[in-house]
Amino acid sequence: MDASTAAQRIETLRQQLQQASYEYYVLDAPTLPDAVYDQLYRELQDLEQAHPELITPDSPTQRVGEKAATRFSSVKHNVPLYSLENAFDMAEFASWQERWQRYWQGRDRRAKSESSEPLVEYVCELKIDGNALALTYEHGRLVRGATRGDGVTGEEITQNIKTIRSIPLRLQMDNPPAIVEVRGEAFLSLEVFQQINQEREAAGEPLFANPRNAAAGTLRQLDSRIVAKRKLDFFAYTLHILDHPSDPNPQPPDQQLTLLESPSSNLPTPHSPLPSSQWNCLELLTQLGFKVNPHRQICDSLEAVQDYYDRWSTERQSLPYMTDGVVVKLNSLTLQEQLGFTQKFPRWAIALKYPPEEAPTVVERIGVNVGRTGAVTPLAELRPVQLAGTTVSKATLHNADRIAELDIRVGDTVIVRKAGEIIPEVVRVLPELRPEGTEPFQMPTHCPECEQPLVREEGEAVIRCVNASCPAILRRSVIHWAGRDALDINGLGEKWVQQFVDRGLIQTVADLYDLTVEQLVTIDRMGQKSAEKLVQAIEQSQQQPWARVLYGLGIRHVGSVNAQVLTESFPSVEKLAAADIEAIASVYGIGSEIAQSVHQWFRVPANQHLIDRLRKAGLQLAREVDPNEAISTPKPLAGKTFVVTGTLPTLTRDEAKSLIQTAGGKVTGSVSSKTNYVVVGEDAGSKLKKAEELGITQLSEAELQDLIASSEQG
C-alpha cells in the first residue's frame, strides 16, 4: 500500500476508533463489538508501523485512553490505571515475552551488573469481563472509589461502590498505612444480569447486550439504591501502598503491615512485610477482606501459560460470570518495577484474549415478538447451532433499521455471535451464499396478534402496537403482574395465562381476582387441587404492598426501584394520579421521562377503570403508615436537601446520611442549586468547591447535629 492510500485508510480508522471510544467511555453506549474494535485497532497499528511518518500524537495508538464522562466529579488517580496490551494467540504471547526480555537485557549496564538473570515466573488470572475500579483507603477506611476513565482521570462514584458488598469499608489491618490503593474489577453475575434484563423488558426499556455494559450502566446510576439492588460483585487484583495520595511509588519492601487478628481467617503473623510478588499481593488482598478470584495459577514457562489458557477456554463456560481472556503478569514485583511502562501499557503484563465465539447457521424464518409495552421486536429463527456452550436457535434482530442494514432474508447463511453477549445476535450476512429467489424482509404494518396498525413514534427505532386490548400485550402484562418482583403469584405461569386469554377469562389483570375454582378446572390439565392453590395464591397477592402494585401495573419506564421511590413520595394511588409532571419529576431519581410516562398513564380512562376495579378487589393502593410516624411531630429537616463530602470526625457518610434522613432530610450525591446544606469533613473536594461557587451553606458534623437538635426543640 503506497503512502497516499495508507494515509487515507489511517484517517478512516482513527475516526472509527475515536467514535467507538467516545461511545464506550463517554456515553456508556457502545455500538462496536470488542472483537471488531480490536481488529480495527490492530490494522491501524500495522499501518502506522509500516508508515511511521504518518503517526501523529492524536492517534488512538498514542494515548492511554479517552476522556472520562462528566456526569460525576472527575478525580485524578493516585496511580495511573493503565490498560493492558492484548495478545490473541500464543505466538503473540511469545513475542511479548521476547520483547520484555530484550528490554530487561538492554537496561542500564550498572543496574544489569547488580542483577542476575530474571526468573521467568508468571501469575495467570482470569480476565473478568467487567469494569475496572480504583479504591482509595486512608488509614484503613474506604474514602474514595473511582472508575478507570482515561487511566489518569476517572469518575468519583464512592457512594455507588459502597453498595458492593464484596468491597470492605474498612481493611482488616491494624495501624494501616496512610494510603492504600486497591484495584479490581466490578462485574455482574450471569444470574443477576438476566434478572436485570427481565426487569428492563417488563418496564419497556432497552435490554443490556452483556453483563459488562450492564455493570457500567449500574455504576453510573445517580441513585445508589438502584446500584444496591443490582448486586454488583468485585474481584480485587492488585494494591499499592502510598505515603500520601500524590505519591505514585509503592513503599519499600521493609515497611511493615499489621493485620487484624481474625479467628475465621488464616492470617500471617501480626507483622508481615509487604508482598514481593503478585501472588503474595493476591494473598494479602484476601487477608485484608477482599474477594480475589480463586482460579489463579503460577506458571513457570510459556507452555504452562498455554495449558492454563487452553483449559479455561472451555471451563469458563461453566463460570457464573463472564470472562474474555487471561491476564498474565510477571510474578516478581521487583522485576515489574524494573520493566516499567510504555506510554500506554505495563511491560510486565498482557491480556491473552479468547477469540469471539461465532458460528455460521441458516435463517429458517424471520418473525416478530410483541412485548408487554407493545414493542414489536424482529427475531431470526435459526437452524440450531452450538455457541458458547449453549444451543442457539433464535437471535435478536433489534429493529427495522438493523434488518435494513443487514439486508437479512430467509434462507441466508449468517454469522451469529455470543462472545460476551448473553443475547445472541446476527453479526453479518454472507450474501455470496444466498439462494436464488429470496426476498427482502419487510416489517409488518399491522400487529400479528390483533391486526391493528403498528406505530413508529418520531425519534424511536421501535415499532409498537398501541392497541391496549391486544392479546399479546395482555398476556405479557399478566405475566409481568404475576412476576416475582410484582405481585408474586406463585403458580401463574405463561401456559396458564395463554389459556386464560384464549378462553376470554381475563381481559385485564383485575379479572384474575374474579376467577373461581369452577372456572379454572375447565382449563386443560388444570386439576381441582391446582385450581384451589392458584385461587389462593391470587388472593394472597392482594396483600402485596402499594410499591409492588405500582410496579405490576407495567407503566413504561417504571421498574421496581422507581416504583418504590415513587410510593415513598406518593403514599397512595390517589396522590400519584393527581400529581402533575413537575411534581413527579421532582422526586429524586425519577426525572422527566418517567414522570411524563406515569402522568400519561393515569390520564387514560381504561387505566382509571382498572384502578377502580383493583381497589374493589382489595389490592393495596396506599402505603401503610407506622402509627408512631402518623402521630409524630413534623420532622425537623423535612424539605431540606443535603450533600455530605469529605471525612467526618466521628460519623461515616452512611451514618450521617441516616441521621439526616431520620430527621426528614434528603441526601443527594451531587451539589446543585437545589441543595440547602453541604456537610463538610476533612479532604473535601470538588463538591465543596461547587458549594462555595453557589453560595450554599456549609455545616460541620457538630453544626449538623446542632441543627437537628435545635429544630427538634423549636
Side-chain angles (χ1 to χ4, degrees):
M1 184 181 295
D2 59 47
S4 175
T5 305
Q8 294 177 358
R9 180 58 179 163
I10 285 173
E11 182 58 27
T12 299
L13 289 170
R14 286 174 181 168
Q15 292 176 1
Q16 292 172 334
L17 292 169
Q18 287 166 355
Q19 177 63 25
S21 294
Y22 175 78
E23 292 168 347
Y24 187 95
Y25 292 108
V26 179
L27 301 182
D28 278 341
T31 59
L32 196 66
D34 285 355
V36 177
Y37 183 97
D38 292 336
Q39 181 181 2
L40 296 177
Y41 189 93
R42 182 63 58 85
E43 182 183 353
L44 178 59
Q45 281 184 315
D46 292 342
L47 285 172
E48 288 183 344
Q49 185 175 358
H51 301 275
E53 72 278 8
L54 299 178
I55 298 176
T56 60
D58 63 345
S59 172
T61 65
Q62 301 301 303
R63 55 183 175 182
V64 173
E66 310 300 332
K67 72 176 188 177
T70 57
R71 287 191 292 170
F72 290 87
S73 300
S74 295
V75 292
K76 187 175 181 180
H77 290 304
N78 296 329
V79 179
L81 213 173
Y82 287 86
S83 59
L84 296 178
E85 183 179 356
N86 291 327
F88 292 91
D89 54 44
M90 292 307 299
E92 293 185 356
F93 177 81
S95 297
W96 167 79
Q97 179 175 263
E98 291 174 2
R99 287 198 303 275
W100 77 253
Q101 289 177 336
R102 282 199 306 270
Y103 180 86
W104 189 89
Q105 292 166 358
R107 295 178 309 125
D108 179 82
R109 289 183 177 275
R110 178 179 178 183
K112 184 177 179 181
S113 66
E114 296 175 354
S115 304
S116 59
E117 286 295 314
L119 174 66
V120 179
E121 190 174 70
Y122 296 116
V123 173
C124 291
E125 306 167 47
L126 295 180
K127 186 176 184 296
I128 308 302
D129 200 12
N131 301 91
L133 297 179
L135 312 177
T136 303
Y137 289 81
E138 293 184 3
H139 303 291
R141 291 181 179 270
L142 177 64
V143 297
R144 191 182 83 181
T147 62
R148 179 183 179 277
D150 63 4
V152 176
T153 301
E155 293 177 316
E156 194 267 325
I157 55 169
T158 308
Q159 286 302 107
N160 286 350
I161 284 174
K162 284 186 175 181
T163 68
I164 304 175
R165 295 299 183 92
S166 49
I167 293 178
L169 299 181
R170 184 175 182 179
L171 301 179
Q172 295 184 99
M173 178 191 296
D174 260 343
N175 303 318
I179 304 292
V180 177
E181 183 90 359
V182 174
R183 302 293 171 78
E185 199 84 1
F187 65 95
L188 285 168
S189 70
L190 298 179
E191 180 182 4
V192 172
F193 168 73
Q194 290 166 352
Q195 291 174 356
I196 291 172
N197 262 354
Q198 288 170 2
E199 180 174 319
R200 290 178 71 83
E201 182 179 25
E205 298 174 348
L207 302 185
F208 287 118
N210 55 51
R212 183 191 63 249
N213 290 353
T218 298
L219 287 168
R220 303 186 77 248
Q221 289 286 335
L222 296 177
D223 188 346
S224 61
R225 289 174 293 186
I226 298 176
V227 184
K229 182 177 175 61
R230 290 187 179 175
K231 300 177 182 178
L232 282 163
D233 208 339
F234 181 81
F235 281 131
Y237 52 67
T238 194
L239 84 165
H240 302 277
I241 310 299
L242 309 176
D243 273 331
H244 50 79
S246 61
D247 181 3
N249 299 310
Q251 290 296 302
D254 59 356
Q255 179 177 329
Q256 303 293 305
L257 302 181
T258 304
L259 301 173
L260 290 177
E261 295 292 352
S262 171
S264 62
S265 59
N266 187 18
L267 297 179
T269 57
H271 295 285
S272 301
L274 283 177
S276 60
S277 68
Q278 171 65 13
W279 188 264
N280 296 149
C281 177
L282 295 173
E283 291 182 331
L284 178 57
L285 285 166
T286 300
Q287 295 158 7
L288 296 180
F290 290 94
K291 179 185 286 189
V292 175
N293 193 279
H295 305 298
R296 55 191 184 273
Q297 180 177 317
I298 294 179
C299 299
D300 59 4
S301 67
L302 187 151
E303 291 74 22
V305 171
Q306 180 160 6
D307 288 344
Y308 180 91
Y309 176 79
D310 291 344
R311 175 163 65 90
W312 283 105
S313 68
T314 54
E315 290 187 14
R316 66 193 180 105
Q317 307 298 344
S318 62
L319 292 171
Y321 45 81
M322 296 298 298
T323 63
D324 59 355
V326 172
V327 175
V328 185
K329 302 175 185 176
L330 282 163
N331 194 25
S332 168
L333 297 187
T334 300
L335 188 53
Q336 288 186 17
E337 184 179 359
Q338 291 171 349
L339 291 173
F341 299 82
T342 68
Q343 289 185 344
K344 286 177 57 64
F345 310 119
R347 292 189 177 91
W348 41 265
I350 194 166
L352 186 53
K353 299 187 76 173
Y354 292 114
E357 288 234 23
E358 298 180 349
T361 187
V362 175
V363 178
E364 296 183 336
R365 181 179 176 273
I366 298 177
V368 296
N369 178 54
V370 183
R372 181 186 53 78
T373 63
V376 178
T377 304
L379 294 170
E381 296 184 13
L382 310 168
R383 184 176 297 165
V385 61
Q386 284 294 119
L387 194 61
T390 60
T391 300
V392 173
S393 59
K394 293 182 180 180
T396 180
L397 296 173
H398 301 292
N399 51 52
D401 292 343
R402 179 59 174 161
I403 285 180
E405 179 185 351
L406 290 169
D407 185 25
I408 189 170
R409 308 180 185 188
V410 174
D412 275 343
T413 298
V414 296
I415 302 299
V416 184
R417 171 183 294 161
K418 202 183 176 186
E421 310 293 330
I422 300 301
I423 304 170
E425 66 172 348
V426 175
V427 178
R428 61 187 180 275
V429 175
L430 303 179
E432 64 272 18
L433 300 180
R434 175 174 290 162
E436 295 183 3
T438 61
E439 296 289 338
F441 177 79
Q442 300 293 331
M443 286 290 288
T445 58
H446 289 70
C447 176
E449 293 272 354
C450 67
E451 300 183 353
Q452 294 299 306
L454 298 175
V455 175
R456 181 171 179 173
E457 297 181 7
E458 185 177 355
E460 283 199 0
V462 177
I463 298 173
R464 295 184 186 275
C465 174
V466 294
N467 174 22
S469 300
C470 175
I473 296 176
L474 175 57
R475 286 197 304 271
R476 296 291 182 183
S477 297
V478 176
I479 292 168
H480 171 71
W481 176 268
R484 183 174 58 183
D485 291 337
L487 279 295
D488 194 17
I489 302 177
N490 186 36
L492 184 55
E494 187 169 354
K495 67 175 183 177
W496 298 131
V497 173
Q498 175 80 48
Q499 292 197 58
F500 295 167
V501 173
D502 291 346
R503 295 263 191 116
L505 293 178
I506 54 176
Q507 281 78 43
T508 72
V509 295
D511 292 327
L512 290 171
Y513 299 91
D514 294 333
L515 292 175
T516 65
V517 173
E518 290 73 23
Q519 288 176 309
L520 294 182
V521 294
T522 65
I523 299 295
D524 293 342
R525 299 191 179 185
M526 175 76 78
Q528 180 76 20
K529 288 186 178 180
S530 297
E532 291 174 353
K533 287 182 179 180
L534 182 54
V535 168
Q536 184 180 8
I538 293 172
E539 291 174 351
Q540 290 174 344
S541 73
Q542 295 171 335
Q543 304 307 313
Q544 295 287 6
W546 161 220
R548 282 177 171 258
V549 175
L550 178 58
Y551 172 61
L553 292 173
I555 301 173
R556 194 177 175 198
H557 304 308
V558 177
S560 60
V561 174
N562 292 330
Q564 183 66 47
V565 171
L566 285 168
T567 56
E568 289 174 2
S569 297
F570 301 97
S572 69
V573 69
E574 289 81 11
K575 292 185 180 297
L576 182 57
D580 57 25
I581 294 176
E582 290 73 20
I584 300 172
S586 68
V587 176
Y588 179 67
I590 296 302
S592 59
E593 186 176 32
I594 297 174
Q596 186 172 12
S597 179
V598 172
H599 185 264
Q600 289 177 345
W601 192 92
F602 280 103
R603 307 279 82 74
V604 176
N607 295 335
Q608 296 169 3
H609 179 64
L610 174 62
I611 293 297
D612 288 339
R613 290 198 58 198
L614 292 175
R615 183 184 291 108
K616 293 175 182 177
L619 274 294
Q620 305 299 311
L621 300 177
R623 180 168 58 87
E624 291 186 6
V625 179
D626 189 319
N628 296 325
E629 178 183 341
I631 63 174
S632 64
T633 57
K635 294 187 176 183
L637 301 185
K640 303 297 183 182
T641 301
F642 292 74
V643 171
V644 181
T645 183
T647 304
L648 301 179
T650 65
L651 298 174
T652 66
R653 287 197 187 184
D654 283 343
E655 290 169 344
K657 180 178 178 180
S658 177
L659 186 67
I660 293 167
Q661 291 175 333
T662 301
K666 180 188 297 183
V667 181
T668 63
S670 58
V671 178
S672 70
S673 59
K674 295 182 180 180
T675 305
N676 300 107
Y677 298 99
V678 175
V679 182
V680 182
E682 292 184 7
D683 301 322
S686 58
K687 294 177 184 178
L688 174 58
K689 183 178 180 181
K690 187 169 184 179
E692 291 172 343
E693 293 173 353
L694 295 175
I696 295 170
T697 303
Q698 300 171 29
L699 299 175
S700 65
E701 179 186 303
E703 289 171 334
L704 170 65
Q705 294 172 330
D706 289 343
L707 175 65
I708 295 173
S710 61
S711 299
E712 289 173 342
Q713 293 171 1

